[in-house]
Amino acid sequence: MAEQKTYYLAVDIGASSGRHMLGWMENDKLCLEEIYRFPNGASPKNGSLCWDGEALYHHLIAGLAACRDKGKIPSYMAIDTWGVDYALLDEKGELIGALTAYRDDRTVGMDEEVRRLVPDEELYRRTGIQKLSFNTVYQLMAHKLQKPDELARAKTFLMVPDYLNYCLTGQRAVEYTDASTTALVDVKTGDWDRELLQKLGYPSDIFPAISRPGTILGGLKPEIVQQIGFDLQVILPPSHDTASAVLALPTEREDAAYLSSGTWSLMGVERTEPANDENSRRSNFTNEGGYDMRYRYLKNIMGLWMIQSVRRELDGRYGFGALSAIARAYGEPDCRVNVNDDAFLAPESMIEAVKTACGKPNMELCEVLAVIYYSLAEAYRDTLDELEARTGRELGALYIIGGGSQDTYLNELTAKISGRQVYTGVVEATATGNLLCQMLATGIFSDRREARDTVARSFDVKQTIVTI
């Protein structure tokens, strides 16, 4: 009789879509299968840009039912999402208001309001988190000033993946890696900075104790078990998607940096100690939490959001491969843009925003795309140079992971412009890291190194060859 596989389920939810990925071990390799995919996105609701929490819950259940229908029932599952966004629960455990999205404009001017109470230098020294206009610390200030009644009614604060876990299990737990993105967690201890919360006037009693990746929350609510026909154990992965992606690196080389490439590009290195000094702050590096209490010392770069926005603006007439080919055919443009400028965060037209930044209103699409590609590649080079300066490490290799690693042209430009060896191959990095954490929690792997060795032999990791 064949040995029955133990299935693990990673639910990986991004800003535009989510999916349920099954994982299992076979012939000493990690195998993946996409079981269910669903759309996601923020849309206007009562004057705010919000996520649809009910739809996300519906898709969670539909994906579990899809596992049942395929006869591949998972024993464990874990959820990861983007960072910074949160939910507030009232005394009955019901959602207060909506799940406001980080791209909502409620945070305009909130950095100044926070600065009145806690200077930028102190905030960074305490939390080690780079300043981004949509960080949770600023979102909560907007909540405090604009909807104080909601904050007054709140009894529990949960990050978005924690809220989804709560919907499944009834357990109110906040996971460390996602909590670290709030700029409210003590960078040294990994716990809430209660003094900081008090200074900002946020009710500290609504913040649950922080749990580490690998914590087992327990089974599903009885009504869900009855609905789908099976139970499983819900585990906390590194629930910030980038933290899961970084766990899935196929190497532990000291001279390697990583680039988690998707809607955002997140480039950095792993460290065992944070770097929350003034030089790091001025360079806008962050010290987000990672698996095994390692720090993801990285910088957020606007990333493929710019290309995704152009594609959406063209009504999807071009695939990503076609857009990449158009940019490659154009060659090197004579203009560059600062890809991290707020003008590209949520413009009505990304194409017009690039034209305006270049001062060339008559630019053709091919040149707009070329500008984006070259500007991204040069931003990657500059960030690698900054990482070397900040860490004292010589970084000869860059591992690009995630969906963006499939963009061959951008990979080649990055290798050419940066002068580093560029490796790709772990496309499903976030789901893979999510699964690795579950397997570490249940004894499949003994430690992080063994898990990463498994990644290296399970996926086709290749060095990028420059042909341009």
Side-chain angles (χ1 to χ4, degrees):
M1 186 175 182
E3 182 181 355
Q4 187 167 346
K5 298 183 180 72
T6 298
Y7 290 107
Y8 296 79
L9 179 65
V11 181
D12 172 30
I13 308 176
S16 59
S17 67
R19 63 268 180 83
H20 290 55
M21 298 285 291
L22 275 181
W24 68 95
M25 292 298 296
E26 189 171 313
N27 298 323
D28 211 26
K29 292 184 178 180
L30 176 62
C31 301
L32 303 179
E33 179 183 353
E34 182 180 301
I35 294 293
Y36 181 79
R37 179 177 286 268
F38 57 93
N40 188 34
S43 58
K45 181 179 180 181
N46 298 326
S48 298
L49 195 62
C50 301
W51 307 106
D52 190 337
E54 290 186 12
L56 289 174
Y57 175 76
H58 166 79
H59 287 301
L60 285 178
I61 302 304
L64 289 168
C67 294
R68 175 201 63 206
D69 295 343
K70 288 181 177 287
K72 297 180 177 180
I73 295 177
S75 299
Y76 306 93
M77 72 171 288
I79 302 171
D80 66 76
T81 76
W82 63 96
V84 306
D85 288 343
Y86 62 90
L88 297 178
L89 305 182
D90 64 18
E91 60 183 6
K92 295 181 180 179
E94 296 178 353
L95 181 66
I96 298 173
L99 299 176
T100 306
Y102 61 87
R103 292 188 190 275
D104 183 73
D105 62 5
R106 67 175 175 166
T107 56
V108 174
M110 291 304 110
D111 58 339
E112 181 58 35
E113 296 296 333
V114 168
R115 192 179 298 117
R116 294 178 198 276
L117 302 172
V118 179
D120 290 345
E121 297 83 356
E122 180 184 350
L123 185 63
Y124 189 82
R125 187 173 65 252
R126 285 176 173 273
T127 69
I129 297 300
Q130 73 177 126
K131 183 181 176 183
L132 294 168
S133 62
F134 48 73
N135 282 346
T136 317
V137 63
Y138 304 122
Q139 292 197 49
L140 275 169
M141 183 58 70
H143 222 135
K144 172 186 167 184
L145 297 179
Q146 298 165 14
K147 297 183 178 180
D149 57 319
E150 289 190 355
L151 199 56
R153 288 169 49 211
K155 297 300 180 184
T156 307
F157 169 98
L158 298 173
M159 302 298 285
V160 167
D162 304 322
Y163 172 67
L164 297 176
N165 286 329
Y166 167 73
C167 291
L168 292 177
T169 68
Q171 300 298 315
R172 306 184 194 196
V174 175
E175 186 275 325
Y176 165 62
T177 66
D178 207 31
S180 74
T181 69
T182 63
L184 295 168
V185 171
D186 186 310
V187 71
K188 297 287 189 180
T189 67
D191 290 320
W192 298 115
D193 187 329
R194 302 286 176 178
E195 184 179 22
L196 175 61
L197 293 172
Q198 184 178 17
K199 285 188 172 191
L200 294 169
Y202 303 158
S204 64
D205 59 337
I206 70 174
F207 295 85
I210 292 177
S211 300
R212 304 301 180 218
T215 299
I216 298 177
L217 293 182
L220 300 172
K221 291 179 178 178
E223 59 268 30
I224 297 177
V225 174
Q226 184 175 12
Q227 181 179 355
I228 64 175
F230 66 90
D231 198 3
L232 48 65
Q233 294 292 298
V234 177
I235 297 175
L236 293 181
S239 59
H240 184 221
D241 49 12
T242 308
S244 273
V246 170
L247 178 56
L249 284 170
T251 184
E252 291 217 334
R253 287 174 56 173
E254 282 295 312
D255 69 337
Y258 59 79
L259 173 61
S260 180
S261 181
T263 300
W264 287 92
S265 293
L266 300 108
M267 182 181 288
V269 296
E270 287 187 296
R271 297 173 64 110
T272 56
E273 294 290 334
N276 56 329
D277 56 277
E278 186 62 11
N279 285 333
S280 287
R281 186 189 73 84
R282 290 184 180 277
S283 298
N284 218 23
F285 278 93
T286 200
N287 295 269
E288 294 174 352
Y291 183 81
D292 223 7
M293 291 304 293
R294 290 158 75 89
Y295 295 90
R296 293 176 288 127
Y297 186 64
L298 60 84
K299 178 174 284 192
N300 285 267
I301 304 167
M302 193 71 77
L304 302 187
W305 164 252
M306 298 181 74
I307 300 170
Q308 292 167 352
S309 297
V310 169
R311 181 173 184 264
R312 187 162 47 250
E313 194 172 335
L314 298 172
D315 298 322
R317 295 196 304 273
Y318 299 91
F320 291 113
L323 294 176
S324 175
I326 291 170
R328 183 190 288 267
Y330 183 88
E332 183 173 356
D334 60 9
C335 176
R336 304 290 189 272
V337 297
N338 175 8
V339 296
N340 288 323
D341 192 292
D342 283 347
F344 305 121
L345 185 60
E348 289 187 15
S349 167
M350 185 64 74
I351 293 173
E352 291 303 317
V354 172
K355 290 180 180 180
T356 299
C358 289
K360 300 175 70 174
N362 297 318
M363 285 173 70
E364 298 290 336
L365 174 63
C366 54
E367 187 177 0
V368 169
L369 288 167
V371 168
I372 292 173
Y373 269 87
Y374 268 83
S375 298
L376 279 172
E378 291 186 5
Y380 295 161
R381 175 202 60 200
D382 294 345
T383 304
L384 282 165
D385 292 345
E386 283 186 286
L387 278 168
E388 287 190 335
R390 296 274 73 83
T391 64
R393 296 189 201 175
E394 183 177 344
L395 300 173
L398 175 67
Y399 283 78
I400 304 179
I401 55 179
S405 67
Q406 298 173 96
D407 194 322
T408 304
Y409 181 51
L410 185 55
N411 297 339
E412 287 189 47
L413 274 181
T414 301
K416 179 181 179 180
I417 291 172
S418 74
R420 272 79 170 191
Q421 298 173 343
V422 171
Y423 296 88
T424 63
V426 189
V427 174
E428 302 292 353
T430 302
T432 298
N434 180 319
L435 293 166
L436 293 178
C437 184
Q438 295 181 58
M439 293 178 173
L440 282 158
T442 55
I444 299 298
F445 305 124
S446 59
D447 56 25
R448 187 188 65 252
R449 183 177 294 276
E450 184 180 355
R452 284 177 167 167
D453 286 345
T454 300
V455 173
R457 65 173 175 269
S458 300
F459 302 99
D460 187 17
V461 179
K462 293 181 178 179
Q463 182 175 350
T464 295
I465 305 301
V466 178
T467 62
I468 51 178

